[in-house]
């Protein structure tokens, strides 16, 4: 299959990651990442870290992280948060059963075929022919399956969980390509309207959060054939 579900971390440069952090509205627990940002990223580069694949590998375990902190002089707490933030770009695929509005019987039928999460569905549903075959095997209507595929495609973007994937679809985002072409302010307004109507979450999100999702979508290959 051409393309992949997650970003290729070896191709995601450290410089691009720095710019991403600069542009994001971070949660209180991650605001440490903006402290001495350029200085600390220069240290990372001097340690031979040029992309996220290398960064994640160097900080993969507690022992590796502590060793890297000792060698680089960077604080352990900073590297811990940095590692979590980097890995969030390839977060675990959402479970289909957690998506609001999905018939549990359809989830169970797909699970019986080994399709339990967004990545597994993505890999089995690239072409219309793939989806027709899976629909028949799982006894799930093609229109229902396509809706799940659309949300699984959107959920390739970091921070898009099951609720947000549903809200995106309800707001008119029906593919990763559509998300990448969206205007953040307009999409934000539609997401707020969809949530007001469906009342799926009491959590808050901002225009900058939506803008991050739009920019992140542009990093992924378009794989699903609609």
């Amino acid at each position: 299959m051409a393309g992949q579900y997650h970003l290729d971390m070896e191709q995601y440069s450290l410089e691009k990651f720095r710019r991403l952090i600069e542009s994001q509205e971070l949660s209180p627990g991650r605001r440490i990442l903006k402290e001495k940002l350029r200085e600390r990223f220069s240290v990372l580069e001097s340690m031979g870290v040029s992309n996220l694949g290398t960064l994640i590998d160097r900080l993969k375990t507690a022992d590796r992280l502590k060793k890297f902190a000792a060698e680089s002089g960077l604080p352990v707490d900073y590297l811990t948060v940095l590692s979590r933030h980097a890995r969030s770009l390839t977060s675990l695929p959402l479970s289909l059963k957690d998506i609001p509005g999905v018939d549990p019987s359809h989830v169970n039928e797909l699970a019986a075929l080994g399709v339990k999460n967004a990545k597994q569905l993505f890999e089995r549903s690239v072409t219309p022919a793939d989806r027709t075959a899976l629909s028949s095997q799982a006894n799930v209507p093609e229109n229902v399956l396509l809706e799940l595929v659309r949300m699984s495609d959107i959920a390739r973007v970091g921070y898009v969980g099951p609720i947000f994937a549903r809200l995106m679809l309800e707001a008119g985002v029906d593919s990763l390509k559509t998300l990448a072409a969206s205007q953040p302010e307009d999409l934000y307004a539609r997401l707020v309207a969809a949530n007001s109507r469906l009342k799926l979450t009491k959590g808050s999100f901002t225009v900058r959060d939506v803008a991050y999702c739009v920019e992140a979508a542009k990093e992924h290959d378009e794989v699903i054939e609609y």
Side-chain angles (χ1 to χ4, degrees):
M1 180 187 74
Q4 57 185 30
Y5 186 82
H6 287 305
L7 289 173
D8 185 345
M9 293 291 97
E10 300 294 334
Q11 298 300 316
Y12 201 107
S13 72
L14 191 68
E15 172 62 18
K16 183 184 292 186
F17 189 43
R18 181 189 64 76
R19 294 197 303 268
L20 174 67
I21 292 172
E22 280 185 329
S23 68
Q24 285 181 299
E25 187 173 320
L26 300 175
S27 64
R30 297 197 177 187
R31 287 175 189 163
I32 188 176
L33 296 179
K34 289 183 181 283
E35 298 175 5
K36 303 179 182 178
L37 181 58
R38 291 178 181 270
E39 176 186 328
R40 286 172 170 171
F41 268 62
S42 292
V43 173
L44 292 172
E45 291 177 353
S46 73
M47 295 292 294
V49 177
S50 61
N51 60 66
L52 286 199
T54 302
L55 178 65
I56 291 170
D57 183 65
R58 297 287 292 275
L59 307 178
K60 192 171 184 179
T61 65
D63 287 342
R64 287 190 186 185
L65 191 148
K66 289 177 182 178
K67 180 181 178 182
F68 190 87
E71 293 174 346
S72 67
L74 295 172
V76 169
D77 58 344
Y78 168 77
L79 291 174
T80 299
V81 176
L82 186 68
S83 175
R84 289 172 183 162
H85 203 61
R87 286 184 282 111
S88 72
L89 296 180
T90 56
S91 55
L92 293 175
L94 59 84
S95 295
L96 300 182
K97 65 180 178 60
D98 293 334
I99 300 175
V102 178
D103 188 327
S105 67
H106 295 153
V107 172
N108 292 336
E109 293 287 1
L110 288 166
L113 297 175
V115 180
K116 299 180 180 180
N117 62 46
K119 183 174 183 291
Q120 292 165 341
L121 180 60
F122 172 89
E123 292 172 344
R124 297 278 295 269
S125 306
V126 173
T127 69
D130 292 336
R131 295 192 291 275
T132 296
L134 183 58
S135 171
S136 177
Q137 293 166 8
N139 193 31
V140 174
E142 286 197 49
N143 65 314
V144 173
L145 186 67
L146 179 59
E147 184 177 87
L148 282 171
V149 170
R150 290 186 184 282
M151 288 187 284
S152 296
D153 193 16
I154 296 165
R156 294 167 67 194
V157 173
Y159 303 127
V160 176
I163 291 176
F164 213 48
R166 170 62 73 181
L167 283 177
M168 285 275 189
L169 190 67
E170 295 293 333
V173 178
D174 60 3
S175 70
L176 201 69
K177 181 178 181 179
T178 303
L179 177 56
S182 298
Q183 294 298 317
E185 295 80 3
D186 174 63
L187 178 54
Y188 172 77
R190 286 186 281 128
L191 286 166
V192 170
N195 190 47
S196 177
R197 174 167 51 86
L198 299 174
K199 299 184 179 356
L200 293 181
T201 179
K202 294 181 180 179
S204 61
F205 50 89
T206 67
V207 173
R208 291 187 69 177
D209 293 329
V210 176
Y212 163 72
C213 291
V214 171
E215 290 303 310
K218 297 175 183 177
E219 301 291 337
H220 290 268
D221 293 331
E222 294 173 21
V223 180
I224 300 295
E225 299 174 16
Y226 292 106

